[in-house]
Amino acid sequence: MLDLIEKELPGLGLSSFKITGSTPSKERQEMTKEFNQGEKDVFLISLKAGGVGLNLTGADTVILVDLWWNPAVEYQAIGRAHRMGQEKIVEVYRLVTRGTIEEKIQELQEQKKNLVSEVLDGTESRASLTLDEIKEILGIS
């Protein structure tokens, strides 16, 4: 998905950096430094690669396009922009297309958040998904 977005940005007059799991650590740090200094408009980062070791105080918008099963992974990635030294308000958007697996993932994330709240509040009724719920999420019968 990042590759598709990256191809469209120049046509919109936007420059970008991109980090994936294969980006070497030294390059990540250099791109982060340059981005925070205003070098480019957009920083494309895969969730897993962006969850650790980045301080993106130059960001004011986070857009999630590929949701992750575990909401904590997304929160950690969003947290890269909410760092010490951040002077801007950071807006976070989650793009979800109806009828896709991302919609199912979003529903699963909500269920997980509700379950955690129930456990912490002592009102938990069950601790796992049923086989039918898993099949529904994956769109299989």
Side-chain angles (χ1 to χ4, degrees):
M1 190 64 191
L2 292 182
D3 291 340
L4 295 173
I5 295 169
E6 183 180 38
K7 287 178 188 174
E8 294 297 320
L9 291 174
L12 298 170
L14 299 170
S15 59
S16 66
F17 289 111
K18 182 172 73 172
I19 289 180
T20 65
S22 63
T23 307
S25 179
K26 185 175 181 176
E27 284 182 38
R28 291 173 191 234
Q29 296 306 317
E30 188 59 36
M31 284 188 276
T32 299
K33 179 182 171 188
E34 290 175 13
F35 178 78
N36 287 335
Q37 293 172 348
E39 292 285 325
K40 294 192 179 185
D41 305 304
V42 176
F43 210 139
L44 301 167
I45 308 170
S46 67
L47 273 179
K48 293 299 271 187
V52 180
L54 297 178
N55 183 347
L56 297 173
T57 55
D60 61 6
T61 305
V62 175
I63 303 172
L64 301 171
V65 294
D66 285 330
L67 303 186
W68 198 258
W69 294 100
N70 183 346
V73 173
E74 290 182 6
Y75 295 146
Q76 188 174 20
I78 292 166
R80 302 302 99 198
H82 288 281
R83 307 298 283 176
M84 293 280 286
Q86 177 58 271
E87 297 176 2
K88 303 172 189 169
I89 294 174
V90 178
E91 299 285 338
V92 178
Y93 300 92
R94 181 177 277 116
L95 302 182
V96 180
T97 304
R98 285 190 184 123
T100 64
I101 194 161
E102 280 81 13
E103 187 176 44
K104 301 291 186 186
I105 292 171
Q106 184 178 27
E107 291 169 9
L108 176 62
Q109 287 179 346
E110 288 301 316
Q111 290 174 2
K112 282 184 163 190
K113 285 186 252 182
N114 292 338
L115 180 60
V116 168
S117 293
E118 289 174 2
V119 168
L120 294 176
D121 294 342
T123 60
E124 166 197 11
S125 58
R126 61 189 178 101
S128 62
L129 296 172
T130 67
L131 179 58
D132 288 337
E133 288 171 326
I134 293 169
K135 286 180 178 180
E136 170 66 23
I137 289 166
L138 297 175
I140 56 177
S141 308

